[in-house]
């Protein structure tokens, strides 16, 4: 399953969500503060695009965030396994919902 790690008011995070929504590809969205691997991987920018492997671990789907997402073929994106529910972050974001602020986003001042 594709997981976008992002932050509030992040233009490229919103663009990544809109792109996957437009292409009808399911994904999860998680605020970077709630994703321990973000710090472990020493990222300084968002969005980061991960893929959850069959064994439950996360690996980078692309190292170039939104621009890297655009470079991936639709065949590759559509061929990725999709979970109905992510054990760590709850149900998959339904691509039919509006792309406003996600309930998982947290204000940056927290």
């Amino acid at each position: 399953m594709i997981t976008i790690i992002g932050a509030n008011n992040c233009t490229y995070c919103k663009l990544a969500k809109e792109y996957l929504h437009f292409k009808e590809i399911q994904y999860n969205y998680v605020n970077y503060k709630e994703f321990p691997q973000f710090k472990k991987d020493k990222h300084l920018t968002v969005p980061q695009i991960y893929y959850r492997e069959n064994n439950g671990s996360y690996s980078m789907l692309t190292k170039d965030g939104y621009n890297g997402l655009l470079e991936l073929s639709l065949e590759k994106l559509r061929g990725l396994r999709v979970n109905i529910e992510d054990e760590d972050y709850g149900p998959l974001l339904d691509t039919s919902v509006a792309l406003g602020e996600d309930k998982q986003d947290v204000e940056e001042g927290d």
Side-chain angles (χ1 to χ4, degrees):
M1 163 180 26
I2 297 172
T3 301
I4 299 173
I5 309 305
N8 285 346
N9 302 319
C10 166
T11 300
Y12 287 104
C13 301
K14 183 177 180 184
L15 288 172
K17 293 188 291 185
E18 288 174 350
Y19 175 76
L20 293 176
H21 175 81
F22 179 75
K23 298 297 182 179
E24 298 181 347
I25 297 171
Q26 294 182 321
Y27 63 97
N28 251 349
Y29 178 82
V30 180
N31 189 284
Y32 76 96
K33 293 177 183 179
E34 299 174 19
F35 193 76
Q37 191 153 346
F38 183 85
K39 287 183 181 178
K40 179 181 171 189
D41 290 344
K42 299 181 181 177
H43 293 298
L44 301 175
T45 60
V46 290
Q48 296 297 322
I49 315 294
Y50 283 85
Y51 175 70
R52 186 165 184 144
E53 303 286 347
N54 289 335
N55 66 6
S57 67
Y58 288 90
S59 60
M60 293 296 296
L61 185 57
T62 174
K63 295 183 189 286
D64 296 323
Y66 171 68
N67 290 326
L69 183 63
L70 296 179
E71 293 173 5
L72 295 172
S73 71
L74 288 177
E75 291 78 23
K76 177 174 180 153
L77 292 172
R78 289 190 174 128
L80 296 173
R81 179 180 66 90
V82 176
N83 290 339
I84 299 304
E85 186 166 326
D86 184 316
E87 299 82 30
D88 296 331
Y89 299 103
L92 205 55
L93 185 62
D94 183 353
T95 57
S96 65
V97 298
L99 289 168
E101 294 298 314
D102 291 322
K103 65 181 178 181
Q104 293 146 326
D105 281 348
V106 179
E107 290 299 319
E108 291 304 305
D110 291 345

